[in-house]
Amino acid sequence: MRSGYSLAQIVLHWVVVVLVALQFLVADGMADAFETLEETGAAEPSVWSNLHIAGGVTIFVLMLVRLFLRNSRGTPPPPVDEPPLMRNAAQAVHWAFYALLVLLPLSGAIAWFRGNDSAAEVHEVLKVVLLVLIGLHIAAAVYHHFVLKSPLLSRMTRPES
């Protein structure tokens, strides 16, 4: 049974965190480019929209690698003293992250490359859901670390030896 994540899993986690943060920083440029596409029927990509597209493609590929690693290597077990409700919530949030971080790039690509308004709306809703999950994830990590005094957080900062 695993006691922690591998170095590859940890690095992928933090690289995706940084990329997702960058996606939010360049999102306005993408929104402007998409608005121009809707108004004129012609795409006018900018540095910001190109960065957003490249970031989305990269996140999509890295998430497929993360899912492969999760499937082939597994994950450490939840803390033994964790109540079933917390364990189930953690599992649901993690799978929701995986789904969102695959569906967001797909919906964004469909919106941009097909000029699809419905996909753009789905993308916007998923973005809000992702922000809520990020908040929950951070709150849970802080709660485990400071309230429960659990070493849970170290699993994503130090690889299993």
Side-chain angles (χ1 to χ4, degrees), residues 17-108:
V17 166
V18 169
L19 288 172
V20 167
L22 291 173
Q23 289 297 84
F24 281 103
L25 290 176
V26 298
D28 286 345
M30 188 70 218
D32 292 343
F34 190 76
E35 201 171 295
T36 301
L37 173 66
E38 286 182 305
E39 290 171 1
T40 66
E44 286 187 34
S46 67
V47 170
W48 305 116
S49 62
N50 287 338
L51 282 173
H52 192 78
I53 293 165
V57 169
T58 305
I59 289 169
F60 180 77
V61 170
L62 292 179
M63 289 310 299
L64 295 180
V65 173
R66 284 187 72 183
L67 286 166
F68 172 80
L69 277 176
R70 181 184 177 99
N71 186 50
S72 63
R73 186 181 192 291
T75 60
V80 281
D81 56 348
E82 189 170 70
L85 181 62
M86 286 176 64
R87 186 176 343 174
N88 293 338
Q91 191 172 31
V93 167
H94 280 101
W95 282 109
F97 268 127
Y98 292 128
L100 284 168
L101 292 172
V102 168
L103 292 173
L104 271 159
L106 287 176
S107 62

Side-chain angles (χ1 to χ4, degrees), residues 99-158:
L100 284 168
L101 292 172
V102 168
L103 292 173
L104 271 159
L106 287 176
S107 62
I110 293 167
W112 179 253
F113 293 111
R114 307 283 274 161
N116 188 302
D117 281 337
S118 296
E121 289 176 27
V122 167
H123 191 73
E124 288 300 309
V125 170
L126 293 178
K127 182 174 75 172
V128 173
V129 174
L130 179 63
L131 280 172
V132 170
L133 284 183
I134 289 169
L136 283 171
H137 191 62
I138 291 169
V142 167
Y143 177 76
H144 271 276
H145 188 73
F146 291 108
V147 176
L148 299 180
K149 307 284 189 221
S150 162
L152 191 71
L153 196 57
S154 66
R155 298 191 318 179
M156 203 41 83
T157 58
R158 284 189 298 254

